Amino acid sequence: MGSSVSRLLRGPAVLYLPAALFLLVFFLVPLFNVAWMSFTEPDTGFGNYTAFFASSFDVGVLLNTFKTAAIVTLISLIFAYPVAYVAARYGGALGSILLLVVTLSFWTSFLVRTYAWMVILGVKGPITAALIMLGWSPPPQILFTTFASTFAMTHLLMPFMILTLYAVMRRIDGTYMRAAAGLGARPLKAFTSIYLPLSLPGIANGSVLVFITCLGFYVTPVLLGSPRDKMIAGRIGDEIEQMLNFGGASAMAIVLLVATLGLFALYSRFFGLDKLWR
């Protein structure tokens, strides 16, 4: 036993030790504590889970969370695909500028960008002022609506989609498209028959990343969205801050975690989890 431990400490496996300890202390232990509270606070048993699934409001919030994540993912894909296509296929100065703009957004925190949208979409913001100048009086309320929340989350998450698509598209050989054109295929036919199928791994990877990240959004829907469009992270916050119901909040967090792991398992079944980070 002692010699086995000694060989392990002298081998390359010891390089994993710092990361393993970090994950154990700062991820697994808190996660176990959350799961434990979901079964023990305030009473031992499945009461918190039963109460969650018996509440039409909480189930509705969970379903709305998945619906919002799906909408944000779809809009992100629609707008991100052309940007990634231009950056990967044509490159040059335009591609570099596009990637620089996308990368710069990562250097600004979600909270700062969310506050920026509060100013832009607010009553005294430039969009409302422009609508008034165009004769729209009284102007529609934009802030604290589903549109504002969805729009801001799409903006915040689109860089994930663009960079993931770009990583796959830049490996697609351009000679395929030139060969299709040489054989008489129209550009649209060549794109739908060759380029789009080859870019499907990027679409799948980006969609999974955006969808799962959106499931846990808290600040943006709370600050920009309508109270009717509450997401599960905001509901967890309400249970902790207003009701001091740590057991119920823990049960909601575990339900969200299980749903997320289910999506990962589904993705791994069809695409392979190792391809998610390529």
Side-chain angles (χ1 to χ4, degrees):
M1 180 66 180
S3 60
S4 300
V5 174
S6 179
R7 283 198 302 272
L8 182 64
L9 293 177
R10 289 198 301 269
V14 73
L15 298 176
Y16 294 100
L17 193 57
L21 288 175
F22 182 87
L23 290 176
L24 176 65
V25 174
F26 295 103
F27 178 71
L28 292 180
V29 171
L31 181 60
F32 176 79
N33 188 44
V34 170
W36 179 260
M37 283 196 299
S38 71
F39 289 106
T40 59
E41 295 288 344
D43 301 314
T44 303
F46 292 89
N48 290 318
Y49 293 94
T50 304
F52 175 79
F53 287 106
S55 170
S56 59
F57 176 74
D58 288 336
V59 173
V61 170
L62 181 64
L63 294 178
N64 180 64
T65 301
F66 279 89
K67 184 187 75 174
T68 303
I71 293 173
V72 170
T73 302
L74 179 60
I75 298 175
S76 298
L77 176 61
I78 292 172
F79 285 99
Y81 197 95
V83 177
Y85 179 82
V86 171
R89 182 157 173 75
Y90 298 102
L94 178 59
S96 299
I97 293 173
L98 288 175
L99 291 178
L100 178 62
V101 171
V102 173
T103 306
L104 282 175
S105 66
F106 279 113
W107 297 348
T108 309
S109 73
F110 278 11
L111 185 60
V112 172
R113 282 186 281 168
T114 298
Y115 274 117
W117 280 116
M118 289 185 70
V119 175
I120 294 172
L121 301 177
V123 177
K124 298 182 180 179
I127 293 181
T128 301
L131 291 176
I132 294 175
M133 289 180 61
L134 293 173
W136 197 326
S137 182
Q141 179 177 342
I142 303 175
L143 196 60
F144 309 128
T145 61
T146 304
F147 168 79
S149 176
T150 305
F151 187 84
M153 284 192 287
T154 301
H155 165 256
L156 295 175
L157 293 175
M158 195 181 295
F160 290 94
M161 184 71 80
I162 293 175
L163 294 180
T164 307
L165 286 169
Y166 174 78
V168 172
M169 288 179 176
R170 66 191 295 268
R171 296 202 297 267
I172 298 176
D173 195 337
T175 57
Y176 296 153
M177 297 292 285
R178 291 195 291 272
L183 293 172
R186 295 180 180 276
L188 181 59
K189 178 65 175 177
F191 174 80
T192 56
S193 301
I194 298 175
Y195 200 90
L196 183 60
L198 290 175
S199 66
L200 284 180
I203 294 175
N205 294 352
S207 298
V208 168
L209 284 177
V210 171
F211 186 87
I212 291 178
T213 305
C214 191
L215 287 179
F217 254 57
Y218 173 71
V219 172
T220 305
V222 170
L223 295 180
L224 298 178
S226 165
R228 295 173 299 178
D229 302 321
K230 189 176 288 296
M231 296 180 68
I232 192 67
R235 183 77 183 91
I236 293 172
D238 291 344
E239 287 295 307
I240 294 175
E241 296 172 0
Q242 301 176 12
M243 308 299 292
L244 298 178
N245 182 12
F246 294 97
S250 299
M252 293 178 189
I254 294 300
V255 169
L256 181 61
L257 175 63
V258 170
T260 304
L261 292 178
L263 289 173
F264 268 117
L266 195 63
Y267 178 88
S268 180
R269 172 69 177 80
F270 290 100
F271 298 100
L273 198 58
D274 58 320
K275 296 179 181 177
L276 186 61
W277 316 111
R278 293 181 182 178

